[in-house]
Amino acid sequence: DAGVIQSPRHEVTEMGQEVTLRCKPISGHNSLFWYRQTMMRGLELLIYFNNNVPIDDSGMPEDRFSAKMPNASFSTLKIQPSEPRDSAVYFCASSFWGGRVANVLTFGAGSRLTVL
Amino acid sequence: DAKTTQPTSMDCAEGRAANLPCNHSTISGNEYVYWYRQIHSQGPQYIIHGLKNNETNEMASLIITEDRKSSTLILPHATLRDTAVYYCIVREGTSYDKVIFGPGTSLSVIP
């Protein structure tokens, strides 16, 4: 298994531009999490899905952020319009939730976003 | 909010055991203790988890006190590659509830 795949690995954009980050979870996993990491705020949970349905988006900072999971193998996190304070590393993680199986998260390598 | 308390930073000599403590005094009966670590610039990596018994795998050992209010992650022979931030998390093992990371412990393994 190739693990959780995120793209792009690095993105540099200008303020006001739309940014789309992509995530392919591990095949068979049914939970997906989006995190943002900065030096000041650490690792913050933005939103998570279970069986493609958003369960909790209370961590999404504002309406400029949106996330979708159209199917079990793909999710996007979109920022429109982007601002310099959105600069961070964005991580996607997936896990299998089911019955008595321990719920272990597997993280992708992250997408480093710089908004100028 | 994170339900755990960890020291901000620790040092360990290379080749020695690294013992990383975690307090989780409000843990409930069906919550597990999970440990992850994050090496610089990489995504967090799962290490080990446990409910009430001590656990060991190829990476580390987890010692949970009898009252389950604290635990210790043990890296038996620390190497320079173990330098990382270590996160202790408590959550229901079979829940799809949110997974919240605290600031963790920054472990520096010194040659």
Side-chain angles (χ1 to χ4, degrees):
Chain A
D1 197 323
V4 177
I5 300 173
Q6 293 187 243
S7 64
R9 290 295 311 279
H10 301 275
E11 175 94 3
V12 180
T13 190
E14 293 187 346
M15 182 173 63
Q17 297 297 306
E18 177 179 293
V19 174
T20 299
L21 308 178
R22 299 173 177 79
C23 176
K24 177 179 170 55
I26 290 175
S27 177
H29 281 189
N30 55 7
S31 293
L32 184 138
F33 302 75
W34 281 102
Y35 289 86
R36 175 174 70 175
Q37 187 170 38
T38 61
M39 287 293 293
M40 290 297 294
R41 302 174 68 90
L43 200 57
E44 301 175 277
L45 176 64
L46 300 178
I47 184 171
Y48 69 101
F49 298 81
N50 186 255
N51 291 326
N52 311 337
V53 176
I55 302 300
D56 189 329
D57 65 354
S58 60
M60 296 286 262
E62 48 197 273
D63 293 344
R64 296 185 297 106
F65 286 69
S66 62
K68 295 181 179 179
M69 192 164 187
N71 57 61
S73 58
F74 184 65
S75 176
T76 59
L77 178 66
K78 185 175 294 186
I79 308 172
Q80 166 64 16
S82 59
E83 298 183 2
R85 59 189 168 133
D86 301 331
S87 296
V89 180
Y90 291 81
F91 289 104
C92 174
S94 70
S95 71
F96 176 76
W97 173 76
R100 299 172 63 183
V101 177
N103 199 339
V104 172
L105 270 64
T106 301
F107 282 78
S111 294
R112 180 176 296 275
L113 173 65
T114 301
V115 184
L116 303 174
Chain B
D1 293 332
K3 304 176 185 178
T4 64
T5 304
Q6 300 177 251
T8 302
S9 63
M10 294 181 62
D11 291 339
C12 177
E14 188 179 18
R16 304 297 294 270
N19 297 288
L20 292 92
C22 180
N23 287 322
H24 30 81
S25 58
T26 60
I27 193 170
S28 63
N30 58 351
E31 286 184 316
Y32 286 69
V33 180
Y34 290 79
W35 283 83
Y36 290 79
R37 74 178 182 184
Q38 185 175 24
I39 296 171
H40 182 61
S41 299
Q42 300 181 19
Q45 174 193 25
Y46 165 78
I47 300 173
I48 198 169
H49 75 281
L51 183 62
K52 53 185 177 181
N53 297 320
N54 298 338
E55 302 287 345
T56 296
N57 62 21
E58 65 278 5
M59 291 182 68
S61 295
L62 174 60
I63 308 298
I64 302 174
T65 58
E66 192 169 343
D67 63 7
R68 302 209 323 122
K69 292 185 177 181
S70 66
S71 60
T72 300
L73 178 74
I74 301 173
L75 308 177
H77 305 287
T79 70
L80 299 179
R81 289 177 294 179
D82 292 322
T83 293
V85 177
Y86 288 77
Y87 300 99
C88 171
I89 296 167
V90 297
R91 66 186 296 245
E92 292 185 25
T94 57
S95 168
Y96 60 84
D97 200 0
K98 57 179 66 178
V99 183
I100 304 297
F101 285 78
T105 296
S106 178
L107 175 69
S108 296
V109 180
I110 302 169

